[in-house]
Amino acid sequence: MDYVFPPPPVPSLAIRGSEQRFAVRRIFCVGRNYAEHAKEMGADTREPPFFFAKPADALVPDGAVLPWPMATSDLHHEAELVVAIGAAGRNLTPEAAGALVWGHAPGIDLTRRDMQAEAKQMRRPWDMSKGFDQSAPCGALVPVSETGPLSAARILCTVNGQIRQDADIADMIWDVPHIISHLSGLVELAPGDLIFTGTPAGVGPILPGETCRVEIAGLGAVGVRIG
Ligand code: MN
């Protein structure tokens, strides 16, 4: 193939205990998936899940030092369970959806909260408040073959060692099979897709020089420092 410039590198995630990497196709994210977080953002708690997306090249690995993002003065952390999809599927029932899970990882849905608040007020899209450069820190994937389906695990977010978010993924409004089921009715899922599954209560700002770390029991952690 004769490209006019070299194709960009394939975004990918490390896999715990393996030299192989998981090639990433798309990144979908769930909005408001924990009742306490939905309340803190002023929303009703039992609506169907809704989705937004980040570019696959927004991924950053554990240990990265990120420059302060452009065009914000209110960068927020959102600690999230990330689900990696390993098989194709569309219009799946929750019972069938679980079979698409390849693995899990801890992730951070970095958010330009000031820009998102303005987008909400103006009824504009969230793309620029959510899908900016380096907005998707994600740790190494742990294969589901090692953990089994994940329905409960403590999820913890610290900033400079201080606990900001402390919850359990069992408290998600929509669990992983239901999230995949809903999403598979909107797009055909494919191997390499990632789903950030929403954040519990306690979101807040990260300041320049601070380190944000998200840990999920059994999956390890992802930490980034804002330069
Ligand atoms: Mn989120």
Side-chain angles (χ1 to χ4, degrees):
M1 195 73 74
D2 185 19
Y3 295 106
V4 295
F5 52 84
V10 175
S12 66
L13 290 176
I15 298 168
R16 192 168 81 182
S18 172
E19 292 299 305
Q20 287 192 298
R21 295 190 64 90
F22 184 92
V24 173
R25 184 169 188 246
R26 298 173 291 188
I27 304 177
F28 300 103
C29 308
V30 184
R32 294 182 204 122
N33 198 29
Y34 289 79
E36 289 303 313
H37 173 62
K39 272 187 225 159
E40 79 181 348
M41 302 305 283
D44 187 9
T45 58
R46 197 56 194 183
E47 293 164 0
F50 69 93
F51 298 90
F52 56 93
K54 292 175 187 265
D57 68 0
L59 285 172
V60 289
D62 179 43
V65 178
L66 310 183
W68 182 258
M70 291 183 277
T72 187
S73 53
D74 194 19
L75 178 67
H76 271 209
H77 56 79
E78 297 192 353
E80 310 206 357
L81 170 70
V82 178
V83 174
I85 298 295
R90 66 200 303 259
N91 279 327
L92 300 169
T93 62
E95 292 69 32
L100 265 62
V101 177
W102 190 90
H104 305 90
I108 311 174
D109 169 15
L110 289 175
T111 301
R112 295 195 279 214
R113 191 71 75 199
D114 41 2
M115 197 181 290
Q116 188 201 29
E118 187 182 329
K120 285 179 176 177
Q121 194 194 348
M122 308 278 284
R123 306 177 71 89
R124 285 178 179 165
W126 289 8
D127 302 52
M128 288 298 115
S129 60
K130 288 291 199 177
F132 53 95
D133 297 339
Q134 299 178 293
S135 58
C138 190
L141 280 173
V142 182
V144 74
S145 56
E146 292 179 19
T147 62
L150 218 60
S151 54
R154 189 181 185 194
I155 179 168
L156 197 64
C157 174
T158 60
V159 175
N160 277 7
Q162 294 201 318
I163 294 178
R164 293 281 187 82
Q165 296 180 272
D166 186 357
D168 198 290
I169 62 168
D171 296 333
M172 290 196 293
I173 296 170
W174 301 100
D175 65 13
V176 169
H178 281 84
I179 291 168
I180 297 172
S181 171
H182 276 278
L183 184 55
S184 77
L186 299 170
V187 292
E188 180 166 353
L189 291 171
D193 289 337
L194 300 181
I195 307 172
F196 281 61
T197 58
T199 196
V203 300
I206 319 171
L207 304 175
E210 289 186 329
T211 295
C212 180
R213 187 170 180 278
V214 168
E215 181 176 357
I216 299 178
L219 299 181
V222 58
V224 293
R225 190 165 70 81
I226 309 301

